[in-house]
mmCIF file of all heavy atoms in Angstrom:
data_model
loop_
_atom_site.group_PDB
_atom_site.id
_atom_site.type_symbol
_atom_site.label_atom_id
_atom_site.label_comp_id
_atom_site.label_asym_id
_atom_site.label_seq_id
_atom_site.Cartn_x
_atom_site.Cartn_y
_atom_site.Cartn_z
ATOM 1 N N TRP P 139 26.827 27.865 -20.812
ATOM 2 C CA TRP P 139 27.610 28.469 -21.879
ATOM 3 C C TRP P 139 26.742 29.150 -22.933
ATOM 4 O O TRP P 139 27.254 29.937 -23.713
ATOM 5 C CB TRP P 139 28.504 27.419 -22.526
ATOM 6 C CG TRP P 139 27.747 26.197 -22.973
ATOM 7 C CD1 TRP P 139 27.124 25.997 -24.175
ATOM 8 C CD2 TRP P 139 27.505 25.026 -22.204
ATOM 9 N NE1 TRP P 139 26.511 24.771 -24.200
ATOM 10 C CE2 TRP P 139 26.730 24.144 -23.000
ATOM 11 C CE3 TRP P 139 27.867 24.620 -20.918
ATOM 12 C CZ2 TRP P 139 26.308 22.891 -22.545
ATOM 13 C CZ3 TRP P 139 27.452 23.370 -20.477
ATOM 14 C CH2 TRP P 139 26.687 22.532 -21.286
ATOM 15 N N GLU P 140 25.433 28.883 -22.956
ATOM 16 C CA GLU P 140 24.581 29.541 -23.952
ATOM 17 C C GLU P 140 23.343 30.186 -23.368
ATOM 18 O O GLU P 140 22.554 30.793 -24.093
ATOM 19 C CB GLU P 140 24.162 28.538 -25.030
ATOM 20 C CG GLU P 140 23.337 27.376 -24.549
ATOM 21 C CD GLU P 140 23.004 26.410 -25.671
ATOM 22 O OE1 GLU P 140 23.920 26.026 -26.426
ATOM 23 O OE2 GLU P 140 21.829 26.062 -25.806
ATOM 24 N N ALA P 141 23.151 30.094 -22.046
ATOM 25 C CA ALA P 141 21.956 30.668 -21.422
ATOM 26 C C ALA P 141 22.126 32.169 -21.225
ATOM 27 O O ALA P 141 23.228 32.663 -21.000
ATOM 28 C CB ALA P 141 21.700 29.989 -20.082
ATOM 29 N N HIS P 142 21.021 32.901 -21.327
ATOM 30 C CA HIS P 142 21.016 34.321 -20.992
ATOM 31 C C HIS P 142 21.107 34.456 -19.474
ATOM 32 O O HIS P 142 20.799 33.523 -18.730
ATOM 33 C CB HIS P 142 19.740 34.982 -21.510
ATOM 34 C CG HIS P 142 19.586 34.871 -23.000
ATOM 35 N ND1 HIS P 142 20.436 35.489 -23.877
ATOM 36 C CD2 HIS P 142 18.669 34.210 -23.749
ATOM 37 C CE1 HIS P 142 20.055 35.215 -25.119
ATOM 38 N NE2 HIS P 142 18.991 34.433 -25.069
ATOM 39 N N SER P 143 21.503 35.638 -19.011
ATOM 40 C CA SER P 143 21.728 35.816 -17.576
ATOM 41 C C SER P 143 20.459 35.554 -16.775
ATOM 42 O O SER P 143 20.511 34.966 -15.693
ATOM 43 C CB SER P 143 22.257 37.223 -17.294
ATOM 44 O OG SER P 143 21.328 38.194 -17.747
ATOM 45 N N GLY P 144 19.285 35.977 -17.281
ATOM 46 C CA GLY P 144 18.034 35.741 -16.563
ATOM 47 C C GLY P 144 17.705 34.273 -16.464
ATOM 48 O O GLY P 144 17.273 33.785 -15.412
ATOM 49 N N GLU P 145 17.922 33.537 -17.547
ATOM 50 C CA GLU P 145 17.661 32.100 -17.537
ATOM 51 C C GLU P 145 18.642 31.379 -16.618
ATOM 52 O O GLU P 145 18.267 30.452 -15.900
ATOM 53 C CB GLU P 145 17.778 31.530 -18.951
ATOM 54 C CG GLU P 145 16.683 31.969 -19.896
ATOM 55 C CD GLU P 145 16.945 31.494 -21.315
ATOM 56 O OE1 GLU P 145 18.063 31.018 -21.596
ATOM 57 O OE2 GLU P 145 16.029 31.598 -22.137
ATOM 58 N N LEU P 146 19.894 31.804 -16.660
ATOM 59 C CA LEU P 146 20.902 31.172 -15.818
ATOM 60 C C LEU P 146 20.591 31.414 -14.349
ATOM 61 O O LEU P 146 20.689 30.501 -13.523
ATOM 62 C CB LEU P 146 22.298 31.691 -16.160
ATOM 63 C CG LEU P 146 23.456 31.044 -15.413
ATOM 64 C CD1 LEU P 146 23.474 29.535 -15.629
ATOM 65 C CD2 LEU P 146 24.785 31.654 -15.845
ATOM 66 N N PHE P 147 20.173 32.642 -14.017
ATOM 67 C CA PHE P 147 19.818 32.937 -12.627
ATOM 68 C C PHE P 147 18.652 32.070 -12.172
ATOM 69 O O PHE P 147 18.693 31.477 -11.092
ATOM 70 C CB PHE P 147 19.471 34.422 -12.461
ATOM 71 C CG PHE P 147 19.036 34.769 -11.064
ATOM 72 C CD1 PHE P 147 19.966 34.887 -10.052
ATOM 73 C CD2 PHE P 147 17.692 34.963 -10.765
ATOM 74 C CE1 PHE P 147 19.572 35.188 -8.749
ATOM 75 C CE2 PHE P 147 17.287 35.255 -9.481
ATOM 76 C CZ PHE P 147 18.231 35.380 -8.469
ATOM 77 N N ALA P 148 17.606 31.991 -12.997
ATOM 78 C CA ALA P 148 16.455 31.150 -12.646
ATOM 79 C C ALA P 148 16.861 29.688 -12.522
ATOM 80 O O ALA P 148 16.381 28.978 -11.639
ATOM 81 C CB ALA P 148 15.346 31.319 -13.686
ATOM 82 N N GLY P 149 17.776 29.233 -13.393
ATOM 83 C CA GLY P 149 18.261 27.865 -13.306
ATOM 84 C C GLY P 149 19.030 27.611 -12.025
ATOM 85 O O GLY P 149 18.874 26.559 -11.396
ATOM 86 N N LEU P 150 19.845 28.572 -11.623
ATOM 87 C CA LEU P 150 20.585 28.421 -10.372
ATOM 88 C C LEU P 150 19.649 28.445 -9.168
ATOM 89 O O LEU P 150 19.863 27.723 -8.189
ATOM 90 C CB LEU P 150 21.655 29.514 -10.251
ATOM 91 C CG LEU P 150 22.803 29.396 -11.254
ATOM 92 C CD1 LEU P 150 23.735 30.608 -11.156
ATOM 93 C CD2 LEU P 150 23.577 28.101 -11.059
ATOM 94 N N VAL P 151 18.605 29.271 -9.245
ATOM 95 C CA VAL P 151 17.600 29.274 -8.177
ATOM 96 C C VAL P 151 16.909 27.912 -8.112
ATOM 97 O O VAL P 151 16.681 27.355 -7.030
ATOM 98 C CB VAL P 151 16.571 30.411 -8.383
ATOM 99 C CG1 VAL P 151 15.387 30.263 -7.436
ATOM 100 C CG2 VAL P 151 17.230 31.769 -8.188
ATOM 101 N N GLY P 152 16.577 27.344 -9.284
ATOM 102 C CA GLY P 152 15.975 26.015 -9.318
ATOM 103 C C GLY P 152 16.891 24.955 -8.733
ATOM 104 O O GLY P 152 16.444 24.058 -8.007
ATOM 105 N N LEU P 153 18.175 25.058 -9.034
ATOM 106 C CA LEU P 153 19.150 24.121 -8.474
ATOM 107 C C LEU P 153 19.264 24.302 -6.963
ATOM 108 O O LEU P 153 19.361 23.329 -6.209
ATOM 109 C CB LEU P 153 20.508 24.327 -9.149
ATOM 110 C CG LEU P 153 21.537 23.224 -8.989
ATOM 111 C CD1 LEU P 153 21.009 21.895 -9.508
ATOM 112 C CD2 LEU P 153 22.822 23.611 -9.710
ATOM 113 N N PHE P 154 19.219 25.558 -6.524
ATOM 114 C CA PHE P 154 19.267 25.848 -5.087
ATOM 115 C C PHE P 154 18.055 25.256 -4.376
ATOM 116 O O PHE P 154 18.152 24.807 -3.230
ATOM 117 C CB PHE P 154 19.339 27.358 -4.862
ATOM 118 C CG PHE P 154 19.432 27.754 -3.419
ATOM 119 C CD1 PHE P 154 20.579 27.491 -2.687
ATOM 120 C CD2 PHE P 154 18.377 28.397 -2.793
ATOM 121 C CE1 PHE P 154 20.665 27.856 -1.353
ATOM 122 C CE2 PHE P 154 18.463 28.766 -1.464
ATOM 123 C CZ PHE P 154 19.605 28.497 -0.743
ATOM 124 N N SER P 155 16.902 25.230 -5.057
ATOM 125 C CA SER P 155 15.719 24.606 -4.451
ATOM 126 C C SER P 155 15.982 23.125 -4.201
ATOM 127 O O SER P 155 15.514 22.565 -3.203
ATOM 128 C CB SER P 155 14.484 24.797 -5.340
ATOM 129 O OG SER P 155 14.504 23.946 -6.471
ATOM 130 N N GLY P 156 16.749 22.497 -5.091
ATOM 131 C CA GLY P 156 17.121 21.100 -4.873
ATOM 132 C C GLY P 156 18.033 20.927 -3.666
ATOM 133 O O GLY P 156 17.905 19.958 -2.918
ATOM 134 N N VAL P 157 18.965 21.864 -3.470
ATOM 135 C CA VAL P 157 19.845 21.823 -2.298
ATOM 136 C C VAL P 157 19.014 21.935 -1.021
ATOM 137 O O VAL P 157 19.188 21.159 -0.067
ATOM 138 C CB VAL P 157 20.891 22.957 -2.359
ATOM 139 C CG1 VAL P 157 21.709 23.001 -1.078
ATOM 140 C CG2 VAL P 157 21.799 22.794 -3.565
ATOM 141 N N MET P 158 18.096 22.904 -1.009
ATOM 142 C CA MET P 158 17.261 23.096 0.177
ATOM 143 C C MET P 158 16.330 21.910 0.411
ATOM 144 O O MET P 158 16.067 21.527 1.551
ATOM 145 C CB MET P 158 16.454 24.394 0.047
ATOM 146 C CG MET P 158 17.288 25.655 0.121
ATOM 147 S SD MET P 158 18.040 25.908 1.757
ATOM 148 C CE MET P 158 19.710 25.354 1.484
ATOM 149 N N ALA P 159 15.836 21.307 -0.670
ATOM 150 C CA ALA P 159 14.999 20.115 -0.524
ATOM 151 C C ALA P 159 15.802 18.974 0.097
ATOM 152 O O ALA P 159 15.280 18.212 0.925
ATOM 153 C CB ALA P 159 14.429 19.700 -1.875
ATOM 154 N N ALA P 160 17.075 18.858 -0.273
ATOM 155 C CA ALA P 160 17.928 17.822 0.322
ATOM 156 C C ALA P 160 18.070 18.049 1.826
ATOM 157 O O ALA P 160 17.975 17.101 2.621
ATOM 158 C CB ALA P 160 19.300 17.821 -0.347
ATOM 159 N N PHE P 161 18.278 19.292 2.242
ATOM 160 C CA PHE P 161 18.349 19.587 3.672
ATOM 161 C C PHE P 161 17.017 19.284 4.359
ATOM 162 O O PHE P 161 16.986 18.803 5.496
ATOM 163 C CB PHE P 161 18.754 21.044 3.909
ATOM 164 C CG PHE P 161 20.234 21.269 3.876
ATOM 165 C CD1 PHE P 161 20.812 21.966 2.826
ATOM 166 C CD2 PHE P 161 21.059 20.797 4.884
ATOM 167 C CE1 PHE P 161 22.182 22.179 2.781
ATOM 168 C CE2 PHE P 161 22.430 20.996 4.850
ATOM 169 C CZ PHE P 161 22.998 21.697 3.793
ATOM 170 N N ALA P 162 15.909 19.569 3.674
ATOM 171 C CA ALA P 162 14.598 19.262 4.254
ATOM 172 C C ALA P 162 14.447 17.755 4.464
ATOM 173 O O ALA P 162 13.947 17.313 5.507
ATOM 174 C CB ALA P 162 13.484 19.791 3.348
ATOM 175 N N TYR P 163 14.893 16.945 3.495
ATOM 176 C CA TYR P 163 14.826 15.492 3.642
ATOM 177 C C TYR P 163 15.677 15.021 4.814
ATOM 178 O O TYR P 163 15.310 14.093 5.540
ATOM 179 C CB TYR P 163 15.265 14.788 2.364
ATOM 180 C CG TYR P 163 14.397 15.057 1.165
ATOM 181 C CD1 TYR P 163 14.947 15.172 -0.104
ATOM 182 C CD2 TYR P 163 13.017 15.200 1.285
ATOM 183 C CE1 TYR P 163 14.154 15.426 -1.217
ATOM 184 C CE2 TYR P 163 12.224 15.453 0.173
ATOM 185 C CZ TYR P 163 12.798 15.558 -1.067
ATOM 186 O OH TYR P 163 12.007 15.806 -2.162
ATOM 187 N N ILE P 164 16.835 15.651 4.997
ATOM 188 C CA ILE P 164 17.702 15.292 6.119
ATOM 189 C C ILE P 164 16.997 15.573 7.440
ATOM 190 O O ILE P 164 17.008 14.754 8.367
ATOM 191 C CB ILE P 164 19.045 16.050 6.018
ATOM 192 C CG1 ILE P 164 19.891 15.443 4.898
ATOM 193 C CG2 ILE P 164 19.797 16.013 7.353
ATOM 194 C CD1 ILE P 164 21.117 16.234 4.545
ATOM 195 N N HIS P 165 16.339 16.744 7.521
ATOM 196 C CA HIS P 165 15.611 17.065 8.750
ATOM 197 C C HIS P 165 14.483 16.072 8.999
ATOM 198 O O HIS P 165 14.252 15.661 10.137
ATOM 199 C CB HIS P 165 15.055 18.492 8.666
ATOM 200 C CG HIS P 165 16.070 19.547 8.912
ATOM 201 N ND1 HIS P 165 16.811 20.103 7.906
ATOM 202 C CD2 HIS P 165 16.480 20.153 10.050
ATOM 203 C CE1 HIS P 165 17.628 21.015 8.413
ATOM 204 N NE2 HIS P 165 17.450 21.060 9.716
ATOM 205 N N VAL P 166 13.782 15.682 7.936
ATOM 206 C CA VAL P 166 12.714 14.697 8.089
ATOM 207 C C VAL P 166 13.277 13.379 8.613
ATOM 208 O O VAL P 166 12.699 12.740 9.504
ATOM 209 C CB VAL P 166 11.957 14.497 6.750
ATOM 210 C CG1 VAL P 166 11.026 13.291 6.828
ATOM 211 C CG2 VAL P 166 11.173 15.752 6.388
ATOM 212 N N ARG P 167 14.414 12.961 8.077
ATOM 213 C CA ARG P 167 15.049 11.718 8.530
ATOM 214 C C ARG P 167 15.442 11.827 9.997
ATOM 215 O O ARG P 167 15.258 10.885 10.784
ATOM 216 C CB ARG P 167 16.267 11.434 7.650
ATOM 217 C CG ARG P 167 16.988 10.145 7.923
ATOM 218 C CD ARG P 167 16.177 8.953 7.424
ATOM 219 N NE ARG P 167 16.939 7.734 7.521
ATOM 220 C CZ ARG P 167 17.627 7.211 6.524
ATOM 221 N NH1 ARG P 167 17.638 7.807 5.345
ATOM 222 N NH2 ARG P 167 18.278 6.089 6.679
ATOM 223 N N GLN P 168 15.997 12.975 10.398
ATOM 224 C CA GLN P 168 16.387 13.176 11.793
ATOM 225 C C GLN P 168 15.170 13.151 12.709
ATOM 226 O O GLN P 168 15.216 12.571 13.804
ATOM 227 C CB GLN P 168 17.145 14.495 11.939
ATOM 228 C CG GLN P 168 18.514 14.481 11.292
ATOM 229 C CD GLN P 168 19.157 15.850 11.220
ATOM 230 O OE1 GLN P 168 18.472 16.876 11.270
ATOM 231 N NE2 GLN P 168 20.475 15.880 11.093
ATOM 232 N N LEU P 169 14.081 13.766 12.276
ATOM 233 C CA LEU P 169 12.853 13.754 13.074
ATOM 234 C C LEU P 169 12.288 12.343 13.194
ATOM 235 O O LEU P 169 11.828 11.939 14.263
ATOM 236 C CB LEU P 169 11.815 14.699 12.454
ATOM 237 C CG LEU P 169 12.080 16.191 12.665
ATOM 238 C CD1 LEU P 169 11.303 17.031 11.673
ATOM 239 C CD2 LEU P 169 11.745 16.587 14.108
ATOM 240 N N ARG P 170 12.352 11.596 12.101
ATOM 241 C CA ARG P 170 11.850 10.214 12.139
ATOM 242 C C ARG P 170 12.683 9.362 13.099
ATOM 243 O O ARG P 170 12.145 8.533 13.837
ATOM 244 C CB ARG P 170 11.867 9.627 10.733
ATOM 245 C CG ARG P 170 11.238 8.253 10.649
ATOM 246 C CD ARG P 170 11.279 7.737 9.236
ATOM 247 N NE ARG P 170 10.765 6.399 9.163
ATOM 248 C CZ ARG P 170 9.540 6.087 8.773
ATOM 249 N NH1 ARG P 170 8.711 7.041 8.415
ATOM 250 N NH2 ARG P 170 9.147 4.842 8.731
ATOM 251 N N ARG P 171 13.999 9.553 13.084
ATOM 252 C CA ARG P 171 14.863 8.805 14.005
ATOM 253 C C ARG P 171 14.532 9.112 15.464
ATOM 254 O O ARG P 171 14.735 8.277 16.342
ATOM 255 C CB ARG P 171 16.335 9.147 13.745
ATOM 256 C CG ARG P 171 16.915 8.512 12.516
ATOM 257 C CD ARG P 171 18.366 8.917 12.360
ATOM 258 N NE ARG P 171 19.007 8.241 11.244
ATOM 259 C CZ ARG P 171 20.252 8.459 10.871
ATOM 260 N NH1 ARG P 171 21.002 9.348 11.527
ATOM 261 N NH2 ARG P 171 20.775 7.816 9.840
ATOM 262 N N ARG P 172 14.037 10.312 15.719
ATOM 263 C CA ARG P 172 13.674 10.699 17.081
ATOM 264 C C ARG P 172 12.245 10.282 17.436
ATOM 265 O O ARG P 172 11.766 10.597 18.529
ATOM 266 C CB ARG P 172 13.834 12.212 17.244
ATOM 267 C CG ARG P 172 15.284 12.663 17.257
ATOM 268 C CD ARG P 172 15.363 14.182 17.252
ATOM 269 N NE ARG P 172 16.700 14.665 17.553
ATOM 270 C CZ ARG P 172 17.638 14.888 16.649
ATOM 271 N NH1 ARG P 172 17.380 14.654 15.372
ATOM 272 N NH2 ARG P 172 18.820 15.338 16.998
ATOM 273 N N GLY P 173 11.562 9.633 16.504
ATOM 274 C CA GLY P 173 10.213 9.150 16.777
ATOM 275 C C GLY P 173 9.128 10.197 16.636
ATOM 276 O O GLY P 173 8.019 10.023 17.147
ATOM 277 N N GLU P 174 9.432 11.284 15.956
ATOM 278 C CA GLU P 174 8.446 12.348 15.767
ATOM 279 C C GLU P 174 7.357 11.872 14.795
ATOM 280 O O GLU P 174 7.666 11.360 13.725
ATOM 281 C CB GLU P 174 9.140 13.595 15.205
ATOM 282 C CG GLU P 174 8.277 14.826 15.166
ATOM 283 C CD GLU P 174 8.039 15.461 16.523
ATOM 284 O OE1 GLU P 174 8.366 14.857 17.563
ATOM 285 O OE2 GLU P 174 7.516 16.573 16.554
ATOM 286 N N PRO P 175 6.083 12.038 15.151
ATOM 287 C CA PRO P 175 5.019 11.613 14.223
ATOM 288 C C PRO P 175 5.006 12.471 12.958
ATOM 289 O O PRO P 175 5.265 13.680 13.010
ATOM 290 C CB PRO P 175 3.736 11.784 15.042
ATOM 291 C CG PRO P 175 4.088 12.669 16.176
ATOM 292 C CD PRO P 175 5.562 12.561 16.411
ATOM 293 N N GLU P 176 4.686 11.831 11.829
ATOM 294 C CA GLU P 176 4.709 12.526 10.540
ATOM 295 C C GLU P 176 3.748 13.711 10.511
ATOM 296 O O GLU P 176 4.059 14.760 9.947
ATOM 297 C CB GLU P 176 4.361 11.562 9.394
ATOM 298 C CG GLU P 176 5.413 10.511 9.120
ATOM 299 C CD GLU P 176 5.264 9.259 9.960
ATOM 300 O OE1 GLU P 176 4.353 9.219 10.841
ATOM 301 O OE2 GLU P 176 6.050 8.321 9.761
ATOM 302 N N TRP P 177 2.580 13.553 11.139
ATOM 303 C CA TRP P 177 1.586 14.619 11.080
ATOM 304 C C TRP P 177 2.108 15.905 11.721
ATOM 305 O O TRP P 177 1.806 16.998 11.252
ATOM 306 C CB TRP P 177 0.261 14.185 11.734
ATOM 307 C CG TRP P 177 0.354 13.848 13.200
ATOM 308 C CD1 TRP P 177 0.506 12.607 13.747
ATOM 309 C CD2 TRP P 177 0.300 14.768 14.298
ATOM 310 N NE1 TRP P 177 0.563 12.683 15.120
ATOM 311 C CE2 TRP P 177 0.428 14.007 15.494
ATOM 312 C CE3 TRP P 177 0.159 16.145 14.399
ATOM 313 C CZ2 TRP P 177 0.418 14.589 16.756
ATOM 314 C CZ3 TRP P 177 0.154 16.732 15.662
ATOM 315 C CH2 TRP P 177 0.282 15.957 16.826
ATOM 316 N N ARG P 178 2.928 15.775 12.774
ATOM 317 C CA ARG P 178 3.456 16.974 13.428
ATOM 318 C C ARG P 178 4.481 17.663 12.532
ATOM 319 O O ARG P 178 4.520 18.891 12.428
ATOM 320 C CB ARG P 178 4.071 16.607 14.776
ATOM 321 C CG ARG P 178 4.339 17.839 15.632
ATOM 322 C CD ARG P 178 4.923 17.458 16.983
ATOM 323 N NE ARG P 178 3.928 16.813 17.815
ATOM 324 C CZ ARG P 178 4.205 15.830 18.673
ATOM 325 N NH1 ARG P 178 5.433 15.365 18.802
ATOM 326 N NH2 ARG P 178 3.255 15.302 19.417
ATOM 327 N N THR P 179 5.307 16.872 11.861
ATOM 328 C CA THR P 179 6.290 17.443 10.942
ATOM 329 C C THR P 179 5.596 18.167 9.789
ATOM 330 O O THR P 179 5.981 19.278 9.410
ATOM 331 C CB THR P 179 7.208 16.327 10.390
ATOM 332 O OG1 THR P 179 7.864 15.685 11.482
ATOM 333 C CG2 THR P 179 8.233 16.883 9.431
ATOM 334 N N VAL P 180 4.555 17.560 9.236
ATOM 335 C CA VAL P 180 3.810 18.180 8.139
ATOM 336 C C VAL P 180 3.119 19.450 8.622
ATOM 337 O O VAL P 180 3.107 20.476 7.932
ATOM 338 C CB VAL P 180 2.797 17.181 7.544
ATOM 339 C CG1 VAL P 180 1.898 17.855 6.524
ATOM 340 C CG2 VAL P 180 3.519 15.999 6.913
ATOM 341 N N PHE P 181 2.542 19.404 9.827
ATOM 342 C CA PHE P 181 1.880 20.596 10.370
ATOM 343 C C PHE P 181 2.849 21.759 10.481
ATOM 344 O O PHE P 181 2.560 22.872 10.042
ATOM 345 C CB PHE P 181 1.267 20.299 11.749
ATOM 346 C CG PHE P 181 0.771 21.537 12.444
ATOM 347 C CD1 PHE P 181 -0.486 22.041 12.163
ATOM 348 C CD2 PHE P 181 1.579 22.228 13.335
ATOM 349 C CE1 PHE P 181 -0.933 23.205 12.783
ATOM 350 C CE2 PHE P 181 1.143 23.395 13.957
ATOM 351 C CZ PHE P 181 -0.119 23.878 13.679
ATOM 352 N N TRP P 182 4.013 21.519 11.088
ATOM 353 C CA TRP P 182 4.953 22.618 11.305
ATOM 354 C C TRP P 182 5.559 23.125 9.998
ATOM 355 O O TRP P 182 5.859 24.305 9.863
ATOM 356 C CB TRP P 182 6.028 22.227 12.317
ATOM 357 C CG TRP P 182 5.471 22.299 13.705
ATOM 358 C CD1 TRP P 182 5.168 21.259 14.531
ATOM 359 C CD2 TRP P 182 5.088 23.491 14.395
ATOM 360 N NE1 TRP P 182 4.625 21.727 15.699
ATOM 361 C CE2 TRP P 182 4.571 23.093 15.650
ATOM 362 C CE3 TRP P 182 5.130 24.844 14.094
ATOM 363 C CZ2 TRP P 182 4.094 24.015 16.586
ATOM 364 C CZ3 TRP P 182 4.666 25.763 15.025
ATOM 365 C CH2 TRP P 182 4.161 25.341 16.246
ATOM 366 N N PHE P 183 5.722 22.242 9.029
ATOM 367 C CA PHE P 183 6.178 22.709 7.718
ATOM 368 C C PHE P 183 5.166 23.683 7.127
ATOM 369 O O PHE P 183 5.519 24.772 6.676
ATOM 370 C CB PHE P 183 6.405 21.534 6.775
ATOM 371 C CG PHE P 183 6.581 21.936 5.340
ATOM 372 C CD1 PHE P 183 7.532 22.874 4.970
ATOM 373 C CD2 PHE P 183 5.776 21.401 4.354
ATOM 374 C CE1 PHE P 183 7.693 23.257 3.646
ATOM 375 C CE2 PHE P 183 5.924 21.776 3.037
ATOM 376 C CZ PHE P 183 6.883 22.712 2.680
ATOM 377 N N ALA P 184 3.890 23.309 7.150
ATOM 378 C CA ALA P 184 2.858 24.189 6.587
ATOM 379 C C ALA P 184 2.754 25.488 7.379
ATOM 380 O O ALA P 184 2.625 26.570 6.789
ATOM 381 C CB ALA P 184 1.509 23.463 6.577
#
Side-chain angles (χ1 to χ4, degrees):
W139 53 88
E140 62 182 48
H142 300 294
S143 59
E145 291 174 349
L146 184 57
F147 177 76
L150 292 174
V151 169
L153 196 58
F154 182 69
S155 75
V157 174
M158 291 294 101
F161 276 110
Y163 297 144
I164 286 170
H165 282 90
V166 169
R167 184 73 172 264
Q168 291 170 338
L169 285 161
R170 186 180 176 100
R171 285 180 175 177
R172 289 173 168 89
E174 189 74 349
E176 291 87 356
W177 62 264
R178 193 179 289 145
T179 301
V180 173
F181 171 84
W182 282 108
F183 167 54

